[in-house]
């Protein structure tokens, strides 16, 4: 029912922050159920710009994370997602269109098209969620807040020449100014 947009990242040199952002949803099991986690990430620096959790798969928490990222960091040239209904919804795509952001979508079943956010989910789960076995949404929210602070500001990445996402994002934003 929803419009599907082409994938614009193939063979694109992504060499500056706010050139491309991406997003995805994963689920996190809690004692007694599970919740959904969405994150907005800068593709170049791997910095997590915004995130939300929800106990439903509606698009509201995705739109909220997107709007917060734009409010805090400006806007990207291109925004890449998968073809999930949350990201193809008018509520989500209208925010992108209203901000003049080019919409890019992965090919059906092409997880590699959004590989950096898929790697983020692995890191979040193995370095935090599975170790802490959160019992409630409140403890999960506090734990994720600490983890994303660590991920952005302390955790170095081999692919980023052993720098943190925040170091790359901030340094390259200064260069662009």
């Amino acid at each position: 029912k929803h419009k599907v947009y082409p994938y614009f990242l193939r063979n694109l040199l992504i060499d500056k922050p706010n050139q491309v952002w991406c997003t995805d949803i994963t689920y996190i099991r809690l004692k007694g159920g599970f919740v959904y986690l969405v994150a907005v990430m800068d593709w170049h620096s791997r910095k997590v710009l915004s995130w939300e959790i929800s106990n439903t798969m509606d698009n509201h928490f995705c739109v909220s994370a997107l709007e917060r990222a734009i409010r805090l960091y400006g806007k990207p040239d291109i925004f890449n997602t998968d073809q999930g209904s949350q990201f193809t919804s008018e509520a989500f795509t209208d925010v992108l269109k209203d901000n003049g952001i080019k919409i890019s979508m992965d090919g059906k079943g092409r997880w590699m098209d959004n590989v950096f956010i898929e790697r983020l989910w692995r890191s979040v789960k193995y370095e935090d969620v599975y170790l802490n076995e959160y019992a409630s949404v409140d403890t999960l929210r506090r734990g994720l807040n600490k983890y994303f602070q660590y991920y952005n500001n302390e955790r170095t990445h081999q692919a980023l020449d052993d720098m943190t996402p925040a170091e790359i994002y901030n340094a390259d934003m200064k260069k662009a100014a």
Side-chain angles (χ1 to χ4, degrees), residues 41-93:
M41 173 187 271
D42 177 70
W43 190 286
H44 170 68
S45 67
R46 317 298 197 270
K47 182 175 180 175
V48 176
L49 306 173
S50 180
W51 60 274
E52 289 275 344
I53 55 177
S54 175
N55 61 358
T56 65
M57 279 284 280
D58 63 20
N59 62 16
H60 298 4
F61 76 118
C62 300
V63 172
S64 176
L66 172 60
E67 290 174 335
R68 181 180 308 107
I70 291 170
R71 189 172 57 251
L72 294 174
Y73 296 97
K75 58 185 181 179
D77 300 328
I78 301 171
F79 197 98
N80 191 69
T81 70
D82 63 23
Q83 296 179 25
S85 61
Q86 297 80 8
F87 308 127
T88 59
S89 70
E90 284 185 22
F92 194 88
T93 58

Side-chain angles (χ1 to χ4, degrees), residues 27-163:
Y27 74 92
I28 296 178
R29 188 167 306 284
L30 301 175
K31 293 181 180 173
F34 56 90
V35 296
Y36 302 98
L37 169 63
V38 66
V40 175
M41 173 187 271
D42 177 70
W43 190 286
H44 170 68
S45 67
R46 317 298 197 270
K47 182 175 180 175
V48 176
L49 306 173
S50 180
W51 60 274
E52 289 275 344
I53 55 177
S54 175
N55 61 358
T56 65
M57 279 284 280
D58 63 20
N59 62 16
H60 298 4
F61 76 118
C62 300
V63 172
S64 176
L66 172 60
E67 290 174 335
R68 181 180 308 107
I70 291 170
R71 189 172 57 251
L72 294 174
Y73 296 97
K75 58 185 181 179
D77 300 328
I78 301 171
F79 197 98
N80 191 69
T81 70
D82 63 23
Q83 296 179 25
S85 61
Q86 297 80 8
F87 308 127
T88 59
S89 70
E90 284 185 22
F92 194 88
T93 58
D94 283 353
V95 173
L96 298 171
K97 291 175 189 175
D98 291 347
N99 283 281
I101 300 167
K102 193 173 187 178
I103 302 169
S104 172
M105 290 190 173
D106 303 345
K108 197 107 176 130
R110 298 254 325 154
W111 66 270
M112 282 293 293
D113 288 347
N114 216 357
V115 67
F116 298 125
I117 199 123
E118 297 295 343
R119 287 182 183 166
L120 171 68
W121 295 150
R122 184 181 189 285
S123 298
V124 167
K125 289 179 178 182
Y126 281 91
E127 295 174 7
D128 185 62
V129 173
Y130 296 158
L131 298 176
N132 291 296
E133 296 183 8
Y134 294 107
S136 71
V137 172
D138 287 337
T139 58
L140 173 64
R141 190 178 314 276
R142 286 192 300 274
L144 288 175
N145 191 51
K146 286 168 80 173
Y147 180 77
F148 286 127
Q149 288 293 323
Y150 163 76
Y151 179 90
N152 281 336
N153 299 297
E154 296 176 44
R155 185 184 186 275
T156 60
H157 295 245
Q158 189 174 17
L160 301 176
D161 292 328
D162 292 320
M163 295 176 71

